[in-house]
Amino acid sequence: MAAAYADDERFDYARRAERLSEALAMYRAADDREGQVRTLISLGNSASNVADHVGALDYLAEAQEIVATLADPPLQAKVNSQLSGAHLEMGDFATALHYSKLEWEAAAGSESGEARLMAANGLGCVLLAMGENEAGIAQLRESMLHIDGIEPPGRRVHYHSQSLADLALGLLQVGDFTEALACARQGAELAVTIDHPPLVAMNQVYASRAALGLANPTLAMELLAPAIETADRIGLKTLSIQANYERANALQQLGRDAEALAAYRAAHALEKNVGKDEAFRRAEFLRARKEISENRKEREA
């Protein structure tokens, strides 16, 4: 399927960012604050996809400032969701939990199944990252109860595939490799039906990890080959790092130690270039700037 995705502009994140930046300029010129927030959310998402954590934080910080001037709880929840995900990617679990709880509280009273799904899923992912596996898996299973009512069908399939990937990751953490493998393979199959290579690759990586847990490195290698090709072609740095580490583990299980060492070094080199430390510093700067601004407003009042 890889060749079929080669010219798909949905996953050309650099070009997408250019177009979104053009849209943002137009929304600013029109003083359309809602349009600005939605575009900034999309820009933050694109930046996160290519592991540009600093860029993602900057876009989302601006979105947060603007949405605070609007009486739009659903849009505020979307901003909180993206902020939670961005901080989760950086390993800042306390901040990710803060924003995911805000989103969960807002979704609890919502009639939107999509909002409840996203909130439960986001909170589940954060809890898993913090090592609260039982609670995290329970949240993820709850989130999947809201999938059936989502329209259109393509969006429903997208959420189902993503939810299966997240659940597979949780099951991997508790050592349930059999169910994790089943979930991830189903997630990959669903993602193929909507031509979504990043979701296919993510599920393949988690399936490979489950295969390794079941002492089947040959299957893991089969799953990883297309996942690595997709991640490298589209520029999904975080996924590429994960896939290369899994490949190193598979090669080690196969007794191909020299190749395993080379794969490990390649993954480590990729990881060094992601720049999470810089993103942490940026997050601290943004928090300090917000606090200074709030203090100034209090003095002026």
Side-chain angles (χ1 to χ4, degrees), residues 134-242:
E134 185 176 340
I137 289 173
Q139 284 289 134
L140 292 175
R141 292 195 191 278
E142 177 177 334
S143 75
M144 296 178 74
L145 298 176
H146 304 293
I147 290 173
D148 288 344
I150 292 174
E151 296 291 344
R155 193 170 183 83
R156 182 164 64 246
V157 173
H158 182 284
Y159 278 127
H160 197 179
S161 176
Q162 179 68 63
S163 295
L164 285 165
D166 294 332
L167 180 57
L169 184 59
L171 293 166
L172 286 168
Q173 290 186 195
V174 296
D176 189 345
F177 302 120
T178 300
E179 188 182 356
L181 180 60
C183 286
R185 297 192 86 167
Q186 184 187 357
E189 290 169 2
L190 287 171
V192 166
T193 68
I194 56 170
D195 288 349
H196 201 294
L199 267 179
V200 174
M202 179 188 296
N203 276 287
Q204 287 170 330
V205 170
Y206 294 161
S208 73
R209 195 176 300 175
L212 288 175
L214 294 169
N216 191 343
T218 301
L219 175 58
M221 291 290 286
E222 291 174 3
L223 292 162
L224 284 167
I228 291 173
E229 188 278 330
T230 296
D232 290 346
R233 174 169 47 79
I234 297 177
L236 301 171
K237 295 180 183 178
T238 301
L239 190 63
S240 184
I241 291 166
Q242 293 175 10

Side-chain angles (χ1 to χ4, degrees), residues 56-74:
L57 282 173
D58 282 345
Y59 289 130
L60 295 174
E62 185 177 354
Q64 187 180 34
E65 289 178 4
I66 298 171
V67 81
T69 68
L70 304 173
D72 193 334

